[in-house]
Amino acid sequence: MLKDFELYGNVDLAQNFIDSVKSGRFLFSFVISYTETSEIPGITFAGADKDSIQYTPPADAEYLHYGYCKTIDKIPMTPDGKPTPGLLTKTALESASISHLTINAGSKIVPQLPFIESGLPFGKNILVQDAMNDTIVSHAVEYGQILGRILASLTDCLLIGECIPGGTTTALALLKALDYDAKVSSSIPENPIELKNQIVTSALERIDSEHPYSIVAKIGDPMIPFVAGMLSSASSVSKVMLAGGTQMAAVLAFASKIGFNEENTAIGTTSYITNDETANFKELIHEISDIPILSVDPGMKNSKFSGLRAFSEGFAKEGVGAGGSIISSMLKTGNNSETLLNLAEKEYQRLFT
Amino acid sequence: MLKDFELYGNVDLAQNFIDSVKSGRFLFSFVISYTETSEIPGITFAGADKDSIQYTPPADAEYLHYGYCKTIDKIPMTPDGKPTPGLLTKTALESASISHLTINAGSKIVPQLPFIESGLPFGKNILVQDAMNDTIVSHAVEYGQILGRILASLTDCLLIGECIPGGTTTALALLKALDYDAKVSSSIPENPIELKNQIVTSALERIDSEHPYSIVAKIGDPMIPFVAGMLSSASSVSKVMLAGGTQMAAVLAFASKIGFNEENTAIGTTSYITNDETANFKELIHEISDIPILSVDPGMKNSKFSGLRAFSEGFAKEGVGAGGSIISSMLKTGNNSETLLNLAEKEYQRLFT
């Protein structure tokens, strides 16, 4: 199984993290959110068309839970039918009997299942206005801290994944605002870098304070301070694995301003993120914090289904905490990527035949 | 410690329950709800006046979490200043480091903290109209089952407590409708039995089907089917302690219609309920189901504060899962009622001086 993993960053800490969680309990918390930045044409593929983007976060939560969606009539997919990375998350969590909870941190639409409510509004389009105000950011951090403390007390390793369409753009904006030389990944193979940079450059002009709360309010999204709050409290109680790529780099950058326990923290992601040559994920994380990156090759390049091979060809790359869920699942069960591929293909067949 | 306990019902099962949970993990789930039946004058003391009753459930949740309330400016109390039984719950849970989660199952007002949302509306006044419709009942049961399964997977013993002002009246109505000879307790020393019976008699006339979903829809409240749903799924995964009195008898009566695992279930309550001569709690539970009752004497009669002695004099008696929380706390820590009294007096002093 470990042959499917690559460790980056603080490798000693990575090995320690793996050793201490593999015999423990895992809980996957799935944070759904929204930024109107996703409505800028061309910015995301997280949804079959512009109007459906807002349904992707609740639909991903419903799919994870029920195996089908209630808010929409198909599972979230790209315009040409490539499925949500939630397919990998669901396969991974189920095969390891890892429980999950959905958390609403500013989704425009609520999911049709019991979920944890944070009371946060969705984020505004950072191209044209501030995403939030400082009060909302304080609320996000505080409620994230409350929830992180509770959930961490119930498990040995709290996995945190997210779904916020358009979130790589707000993540890029926050990382740049905090002076990191970030090149971020995208859910689209042809990363619309020029468009993202235009949006970010324009948004950064509104920043008039160095306070991290003020910065994230102007150019971030509600997910970032909420998950950073969760990390800050949870990492003092249990191990925490941030399950994601670009967005989790932004969370980490913000969390490093409010404080968290590095010894208990790791990022778990897919090799599609760590091998993305258009981005600089590994260098970026190293610049932000001395925590390990656990990266897994989900092995989808060997699939007989083009819809699954697409993950290895630059579509989605990560999302719905897929990478961290696969890693946790493999650590708990000892399964390798061949087993995962087999299960993912069964799930793909169930959905599409 | 065990000298503070009385065991009733299936005593073998009680001892087995105690043995299997005492070295395990506990999680307290606090279900808040609302029935407009509480607005009938004279029916409840759960709030300082008529208008404040609706704030009692979220305020109890906030007090448990923060140690103060956000929705109102004082903790919930009777018109003459006797505090919420949440004081006992909070003291018990904190002294044993037992985590808790708030669940909104139809509260009129949402609490100002992260909580689990069920999407249920509040119940209508059963004196004048149906509490719910069948669709809402199905939703309550289904969402309760989903949540019960998740929460039970995170703990060895799931405690379920509730706060629904006016809930003893809807509980009485359901118990009578299901043909149990119920005499229920009250949060008021002079139990307004005649008023309750009038309301119940009038409500029962609307029943036109023997289907339990239809019955609870007409004369129950949203908490009952929701918690019964939680019990039905959770008891197949872990031990479940229904923490409460009269309302939990109604939950158990409804749950016995949809099915649950008796071997994993117990009711935990206070001696103020099991010793209430105006009610018939022990006989009632025995009639409904072959599960054990664990009853604890919180020892408040020995307090130097009249506000705490009131609990032993017929005020509140139970609520916010106080009895079950005390039992769980004592099982986990080995503390006895003297220690609890000491801690409760400190908390009382913190609040009122």
Side-chain angles (χ1 to χ4, degrees):
Chain A
M1 162 205 41
L2 283 174
K3 78 175 163 58
D4 300 315
F5 290 3
E6 297 279 355
L7 310 179
Y8 303 102
N10 190 328
V11 174
D12 288 345
L13 220 50
Q15 198 57 57
N16 172 278
F17 192 97
I18 289 172
D19 291 342
S20 76
V21 303
K22 69 182 175 196
S23 60
R25 284 167 290 135
F26 292 85
L27 169 61
F28 179 63
S29 55
F30 180 48
V31 179
I32 62 174
S33 190
Y34 190 76
T35 164
E36 286 184 331
T37 311
S38 66
E39 296 167 11
I40 299 169
I43 207 73
T44 184
F45 263 15
D49 57 59
K50 183 183 165 299
D51 290 334
S52 71
I53 291 170
Q54 62 188 321
Y55 296 104
T56 296
D60 266 329
E62 291 160 6
Y63 165 63
L64 269 195
H65 181 75
Y66 297 107
Y68 58 90
C69 301
K70 294 195 158 190
T71 295
I72 57 177
D73 60 6
K74 284 182 291 196
I75 69 161
M77 58 182 82
T78 60
D80 60 346
K82 296 183 174 71
T84 168
L87 186 152
L88 303 180
T89 310
K90 182 171 164 57
T91 301
L93 296 177
E94 280 191 359
S95 63
S97 298
I98 295 173
S99 295
H100 69 274
L101 276 167
T102 300
I103 301 161
N104 178 23
S107 177
K108 203 164 187 175
I109 312 282
V110 299
Q112 294 183 36
L113 45 73
F115 63 90
I116 296 172
E117 175 58 47
S118 67
L120 287 168
F122 59 82
K124 304 291 177 53
N125 179 352
I126 65 167
L127 179 61
V128 294
Q129 66 190 120
D130 292 352
M132 300 166 277
N133 61 39
D134 292 1
T135 308
I136 296 173
V137 173
S138 298
H139 176 132
V141 171
E142 186 199 346
Y143 276 39
Q145 286 174 328
I146 291 171
L147 192 63
R149 201 175 297 117
I150 296 171
L151 297 186
S153 77
L154 304 175
T155 189
D156 300 304
C157 180
L158 181 64
L159 276 160
I160 312 176
E162 51 67 41
C163 177
I164 175 167
T168 57
T169 302
T170 42
L172 177 65
L174 181 70
L175 288 162
K176 293 230 175 188
L178 295 177
D179 275 335
Y180 293 106
D181 176 28
K183 298 187 191 69
V184 302
S185 290
S186 165
S187 60
I188 315 177
E190 300 295 314
N191 195 345
I193 293 172
E194 209 165 313
L195 175 59
K196 284 184 183 175
N197 282 332
Q198 269 173 24
I199 297 166
V200 168
T201 304
S202 163
L204 291 179
E205 282 169 13
R206 285 198 314 279
I207 292 178
D208 57 7
S209 154
E210 291 190 359
H211 195 290
Y213 280 37
S214 164
I215 292 172
V216 79
K218 286 186 187 300
I219 50 81
D221 61 57
M223 184 282 293
I224 295 171
F226 186 83
V227 175
M230 288 179 71
L231 171 64
S232 76
S233 60
S235 63
S236 70
V237 179
S238 75
K239 299 288 180 191
V240 180
M241 191 188 296
L242 296 175
T246 299
Q247 279 97 326
M248 288 305 176
V251 165
L252 205 63
F254 185 74
S256 70
K257 304 296 178 189
I258 63 175
F260 70 100
N261 183 351
E262 293 190 339
E263 302 246 318
N264 276 344
T265 305
I267 286 206
T269 194
T270 63
S271 59
Y272 312 138
I273 292 288
T274 49
N275 294 340
D276 180 359
E277 309 251 317
T278 73
N280 61 344
F281 185 72
K282 294 176 301 215
E283 296 72 20
L284 183 58
I285 298 299
H286 185 69
E287 218 186 314
I288 298 169
S289 175
D290 187 33
I291 65 159
I293 301 171
L294 319 181
S295 171
V296 67
D297 180 356
M300 293 300 135
K301 65 179 172 298
N302 301 319
S303 179
K304 60 188 176 216
F305 298 113
S306 66
L308 291 179
R309 281 200 305 277
F311 288 124
S312 67
E313 290 157 2
F315 284 95
K317 296 187 188 70
E318 190 31 297
V320 195
S325 297
I326 294 170
I327 292 166
S328 301
S329 176
M330 288 181 171
L331 288 175
K332 189 171 169 192
T333 61
N335 285 343
N336 60 19
S337 63
E338 284 78 39
T339 313
L340 181 83
L341 174 59
N342 199 274
L343 295 167
E345 289 189 332
K346 278 195 184 133
E347 174 64 4
Y348 188 86
Q349 270 182 305
R350 185 186 72 81
L351 286 170
F352 294 106
T353 54
Chain B
M1 160 203 51
L2 284 172
K3 77 175 166 52
D4 299 317
F5 290 3
E6 297 277 358
L7 308 179
Y8 303 101
N10 189 327
V11 175
D12 288 344
L13 220 50
Q15 199 56 58
N16 172 276
F17 192 98
I18 289 171
D19 291 342
S20 76
V21 302
K22 69 183 175 198
S23 60
R25 283 166 292 136
F26 293 85
L27 169 62
F28 179 64
S29 55
F30 179 49
V31 179
I32 61 174
S33 191
Y34 190 78
T35 163
E36 286 185 330
T37 312
S38 65
E39 296 168 10
I40 300 169
I43 208 73
T44 184
F45 264 15
D49 57 59
K50 182 185 165 299
D51 291 333
S52 72
I53 291 170
Q54 62 189 323
Y55 296 104
T56 295
D60 266 330
E62 290 159 6
Y63 165 62
L64 270 196
H65 181 76
Y66 298 107
Y68 59 89
C69 301
K70 294 195 159 191
T71 295
I72 57 177
D73 61 5
K74 283 181 293 196
I75 69 161
M77 57 182 83
T78 61
D80 60 347
K82 296 183 174 68
T84 168
L87 186 151
L88 302 180
T89 310
K90 182 174 164 57
T91 301
L93 296 178
E94 281 192 0
S95 64
S97 298
I98 294 173
S99 295
H100 70 275
L101 276 167
T102 300
I103 300 161
N104 178 25
S107 177
K108 204 165 188 174
I109 312 280
V110 299
Q112 294 183 37
L113 46 71
F115 62 90
I116 295 172
E117 175 59 46
S118 68
L120 287 167
F122 59 82
K124 304 290 176 54
N125 179 352
I126 65 167
L127 178 62
V128 295
Q129 66 190 118
D130 292 353
M132 300 166 278
N133 61 39
D134 292 3
T135 308
I136 296 172
V137 174
S138 298
H139 176 131
V141 171
E142 185 200 348
Y143 275 40
Q145 286 174 327
I146 291 172
L147 192 63
R149 201 173 299 116
I150 296 171
L151 297 185
S153 76
L154 304 175
T155 189
D156 300 305
C157 180
L158 181 64
L159 278 160
I160 312 178
E162 52 66 40
C163 177
I164 174 165
T168 58
T169 302
T170 44
L172 177 65
L174 182 70
L175 288 162
K176 293 229 176 189
L178 296 178
D179 276 336
Y180 294 106
D181 175 28
K183 298 187 192 69
V184 302
S185 290
S186 165
S187 60
I188 315 177
E190 300 296 315
N191 195 344
I193 292 172
E194 209 164 313
L195 175 58
K196 284 184 183 175
N197 282 331
Q198 270 173 23
I199 297 166
V200 168
T201 304
S202 164
L204 291 179
E205 284 169 12
R206 284 199 314 279
I207 291 179
D208 56 7
S209 155
E210 291 191 0
H211 195 290
Y213 279 37
S214 164
I215 294 172
V216 79
K218 287 186 185 302
I219 51 80
D221 61 56
M223 184 281 294
I224 295 171
F226 186 82
V227 175
M230 287 179 71
L231 171 63
S232 76
S233 60
S235 63
S236 69
V237 180
S238 74
K239 298 288 181 192
V240 181
M241 191 188 295
L242 295 175
T246 298
Q247 279 97 328
M248 288 304 176
V251 165
L252 205 62
F254 185 74
S256 70
K257 305 295 179 190
I258 62 173
F260 68 101
N261 183 352
E262 293 189 338
E263 301 247 319
N264 276 345
T265 305
I267 287 206
T269 193
T270 64
S271 58
Y272 311 139
I273 292 289
T274 50
N275 294 339
D276 181 357
E277 310 248 317
T278 74
N280 61 344
F281 185 73
K282 292 176 302 217
E283 296 73 19
L284 182 58
I285 297 299
H286 185 67
E287 217 185 312
I288 299 169
S289 175
D290 186 34
I291 64 158
I293 301 171
L294 319 181
S295 171
V296 67
D297 181 355
M300 293 299 134
K301 64 180 173 301
N302 301 319
S303 179
K304 60 189 178 215
F305 299 113
S306 65
L308 291 179
R309 281 199 306 277
F311 289 123
S312 67
E313 290 157 0
F315 285 96
K317 295 186 190 72
E318 194 23 300
V320 195
S325 297
I326 293 170
I327 292 166
S328 301
S329 175
M330 287 180 171
L331 288 175
K332 188 171 171 192
T333 61
N335 286 342
N336 60 19
S337 64
E338 284 78 39
T339 313
L340 181 83
L341 174 59
N342 198 273
L343 295 168
E345 289 189 330
K346 280 196 184 131
E347 173 64 3
Y348 188 87
Q349 271 182 304
R350 185 186 72 82
L351 287 170
F352 294 106
T353 53

